[in-house]
Amino acid sequence: MDTPLETSRLLLRPFTAADAEQLIALHNDAEVMRYLNGGKPVPRERILGETLPRFVRGDFLAAVEKASGGFVGWFHLRPPEGGPADELELGYRLHRAAWGKGYATEGSLALIDHAFGELGARRVFAQTMAVNLGSRRVMEKCGMRFVRTFFEDWPDPIEGAEQGEVEYELLPEHRHPATS
């Protein structure tokens, strides 16, 4: 996505090289990464050499709080690898300081509106670990519905993996008036 999206409190804009230090801090917070890699630190070299270039090229948006100009995290909206172009995966990762303030829901709703309005998506979906109740609540607040629980074969499973992953979706006809 090349153009920024705005919500009442957030600016969702394309990533730049200037976001490197904030991305490093986000991806090295053990609590932020708890349901992604068990809270292990992500090497700086990997973030600078792989993650940031992919974010700059791809469908990842830096989330900036409009009032302070502070980086609060990121969002993405993209077709899954090898998947249909009109089925878009929603994802987000926010600094702990931004948790509980409604930013994940606010940014997600803006991207859902963009997906169905400008991009003509027929489905938006999101996935997380079954034990990640915070992320599941965000999906539900956005009007997404539980679709399935599934199990991945992880080479290095983290705590909670035995309960599986969950998928939620939203179809245009199921959008709540507050999300459209």
Side-chain angles (χ1 to χ4, degrees):
M1 191 175 309
D2 296 329
T3 57
L5 289 176
E6 286 194 49
T7 70
S8 61
R9 301 179 297 160
L10 295 174
L11 173 65
L12 305 178
R13 60 157 176 78
F15 265 88
T16 69
D19 297 313
E21 292 306 317
Q22 288 291 344
L23 193 60
I24 290 166
L26 179 66
H27 286 209
N28 279 285
D29 182 317
E31 280 301 303
V32 169
M33 300 302 288
R34 177 178 175 193
Y35 298 117
L36 299 158
N37 70 3
K40 297 175 188 158
V42 179
R44 179 182 186 84
E45 300 75 32
R46 183 182 324 153
I47 293 170
L48 294 175
E50 298 172 26
T51 308
L52 183 60
R54 187 176 80 240
F55 280 27
V56 169
R57 286 190 313 270
D59 299 312
F60 289 80
L61 296 169
V64 177
E65 186 181 54
K66 287 170 33 175
S68 69
F71 177 89
V72 297
W74 59 257
F75 290 84
H76 76 64
L77 182 68
R78 61 187 178 168
E81 192 171 318
D86 61 353
E87 291 193 14
L88 302 175
E89 180 182 18
L90 172 69
Y92 40 83
R93 191 169 304 163
L94 301 179
H95 279 293
R96 274 192 285 165
W99 293 0
K101 296 182 178 181
Y103 289 137
T105 302
E106 187 174 321
S108 294
L109 287 171
L111 286 172
I112 288 168
D113 286 346
H114 182 71
F116 291 127
E118 285 80 28
L119 302 179
R122 71 177 177 86
R123 175 178 185 252
V124 173
F125 72 96
Q127 298 176 339
T128 190
M129 289 182 71
V131 295
N132 188 347
L133 300 180
S135 193
R136 292 179 75 169
R137 275 193 297 273
V138 169
M139 294 172 198
E140 291 165 358
K141 286 179 184 177
C142 290
M144 300 179 100
R145 298 176 180 197
F146 174 80
V147 175
R148 66 185 177 123
T149 300
F150 61 99
F151 295 86
E152 297 279 348
D153 186 23
W154 298 106
D156 188 18
I158 61 175
E159 185 179 339
E162 70 282 354
Q163 294 184 41
E165 307 282 322
V166 291
E167 180 173 309
Y168 284 72
E169 73 176 4
L170 185 59
L171 306 174
E173 61 268 24
H174 295 141
R175 289 175 73 198
H176 186 276
T179 65
S180 54

